[in-house]
Amino acid sequence: MIVVMKKGATQQQIDHMVQRVEQLGLKSHVIYGTERTVIAAIGEKRDEHRQSLESGAGVAEVVPILAPYKVASREVKPEPTVVRAGSLVVGNCHLGMIAGPCSVESAEQTLSIARAVKMAGATALRGGAFKPRTSPYSFQGLKEDGLKILADARAETGLAVVTEVLAATEVSLVGRYADVLQIGARNMQNYRLLEAVGKEGKPVLLKRGPSATMDELLLAAEYVLNAGNPNVMLCERGIRTFETHTRFSLTLASVPYLHDRTHLPVVVDPSHGTGHANLVPRMSAAAVAAGADGLIVEVHPDPETALSDGYQSLTFEQFEALMELCRRVAEAVGKQIAPNEARLAGTA
Ligand code: PEP
Ligand code: MN
């Protein structure tokens, strides 16, 4: 149920209703909106609960939440959530541009990428230090050394760092270096990990599992939200289908679909979603046109020699062109994208 408070309800009335909800054996979750405050009352729904809550001082109405996910649903919070992590702003009219290597390979590689993507207008740096690889014989990442390299790149460029955490036991370590904790597609339904990043508190980029439905993605987000962390970005990165021409099938209809059902921002990953560098710029533009709140794109100075995902990584020049294309589409759909640094500095 949602307890919708009247406009101008006092903090005392809100606190009282939270207490009432908990006395009924329900879990409460308060969401302060710009228009109104609502209290999500989560647990078994009973008519007598509804009647008793409805009579509370400052309450406008009590309505059932129809969606299986509660805190993530638009019914609970109609206005879009904006997630901020240092230089990265994602949601509503803000288009976040996250770019960087699939894997952190060396300080030189990561720093050169950070500088290049920053110049082109990226607002955050991605890079895997702990890599979830299909084969145990593939490069597994530089681990803590990789995290240190990312932190150095942030210190130099000011770009927020987005990096994956693979295990609940590593959340506090990764959280010491990262601005955004990425939950990879393979871990979308690792519920203990979702709870751990929920408790850690840093913003979370939650990638869709390759066989997950929209409801499963939203219920996974619900684990993070329920642990007390409101800063969740959903990420469409394609699903596995019978089609083999692309690495995954990038289902962009999920962007407007999710926007209708949740207040959480939606980021699109056209790199993993297609698996082909030549498809990435046009699918990025399509994602922005579909209303995406952010993109996460793989970039490498020399894709041919990348230790992972080189075939889907863009060169610096290709990324710059992608930024220009997306900037034009963003403008057409009413989204703001950070200005081009080189242009601001008068060098381009
Ligand atoms: C990645 O971002 O490099 C990655 C491993 O992505 P995904 O979890 O979507 O496969
Ligand atoms: Mn990758």
Side-chain angles (χ1 to χ4, degrees):
M1 287 172 292
I2 321 172
V3 180
V4 182
M5 301 302 290
K6 287 181 182 152
K7 244 184 174 166
T10 64
Q11 189 58 50
Q12 211 177 7
Q13 290 172 329
I14 296 167
D15 292 343
H16 176 72
M17 290 316 295
V18 167
Q19 227 175 32
R20 291 283 303 119
V21 164
E22 283 169 9
Q23 277 165 359
L24 294 174
L26 304 169
K27 194 166 182 271
S28 69
H29 198 99
V30 185
I31 295 161
Y32 294 94
T34 45
E35 282 292 307
R36 56 182 192 165
T37 297
V38 303
I39 304 163
I42 297 160
E44 200 193 329
K45 181 185 130 226
R46 296 220 213 111
D47 272 351
E48 61 268 30
H49 285 169
R50 183 172 171 180
Q51 282 154 15
S52 130
L53 292 170
E54 228 152 24
S55 60
V59 174
E61 57 175 340
V62 178
V63 288
I65 312 175
L66 299 173
Y69 35 90
K70 308 295 176 195
V71 188
S73 83
R74 272 233 184 239
E75 295 167 73
V76 167
K77 182 173 180 277
E79 65 269 22
T81 289
V82 177
V83 175
R84 293 170 198 273
S87 59
L88 180 67
V89 187
V90 172
N92 203 9
C93 56
H94 305 280
L95 185 64
M97 297 299 275
I98 309 164
C102 177
S103 298
V104 174
E105 298 170 4
S106 69
E108 196 195 358
Q109 171 245 21
T110 302
L111 263 169
S112 71
I113 296 171
R115 289 181 193 128
V117 299
K118 165 102 196 247
M119 280 300 271
T123 51
L125 174 68
R126 64 148 289 147
F130 289 88
K131 291 304 301 177
R133 302 308 300 279
T134 303
S135 163
Y137 308 114
S138 302
F139 176 59
Q140 301 288 310
L142 297 181
K143 311 212 165 76
E144 190 168 3
D145 288 341
L147 296 174
K148 287 182 182 155
I149 293 172
L150 288 166
D152 288 346
R154 171 181 51 217
E156 192 195 299
T157 61
L159 290 177
V161 164
V162 179
T163 195
E164 180 162 355
V165 56
L166 284 180
T169 49
E170 289 160 0
V171 168
S172 64
L173 169 69
V174 181
R176 278 206 292 282
Y177 296 93
D179 298 294
V180 174
L181 297 170
Q182 176 176 322
I183 299 295
R186 295 159 177 84
N187 263 322
M188 189 204 84
Q189 286 175 309
N190 181 340
Y191 301 118
R192 298 297 83 80
L193 176 59
L194 297 175
E195 284 166 352
V197 294
K199 288 196 190 107
E200 205 280 344
K202 287 260 163 81
V204 171
L205 180 75
L206 177 63
K207 293 189 121 188
R208 179 186 187 178
S211 65
T213 63
M214 291 281 99
D215 273 10
E216 285 164 347
L217 172 62
L218 287 161
L219 285 165
E222 195 82 3
Y223 273 89
V224 183
L225 299 168
N226 268 340
N229 186 345
N231 295 311
V232 179
M233 296 169 265
L234 304 171
C235 180
E236 174 57 81
R237 45 78 76 212
I239 51 172
R240 184 160 278 176
T241 68
F242 56 83
E243 180 54 76
T244 53
H245 285 78
T246 50
R247 185 178 180 189
F248 292 96
S249 293
L250 185 56
T251 53
L252 286 181
S254 54
V255 178
Y257 179 91
L258 286 167
H259 278 154
D260 284 350
R261 279 156 186 84
T262 179
H263 51 87
L264 298 174
V266 183
V267 173
V268 171
D269 176 346
S271 305
H272 293 86
T274 63
H276 294 284
N278 64 318
L279 302 179
V280 170
R282 283 168 286 173
M283 291 312 285
S284 298
V288 177
D293 302 293
L295 293 178
I296 179 163
V297 176
E298 289 185 339
V299 177
H300 198 280
D302 182 19
E304 256 182 47
T305 61
L307 294 182
S308 59
D309 289 354
Y311 46 82
Q312 64 191 33
S313 299
L314 302 184
T315 62
F316 296 167
E317 295 69 32
Q318 287 170 328
F319 181 68
E320 237 181 273
L322 174 152
M323 285 295 301
E324 283 310 311
L325 177 62
C326 288
R327 206 173 258 119
R328 281 184 296 182
V329 180
E331 201 174 312
V333 296
K335 295 260 183 194
Q336 284 166 18
I337 181 164
N340 182 320
E341 291 272 318
R343 224 186 247 162
L344 281 183
T347 55

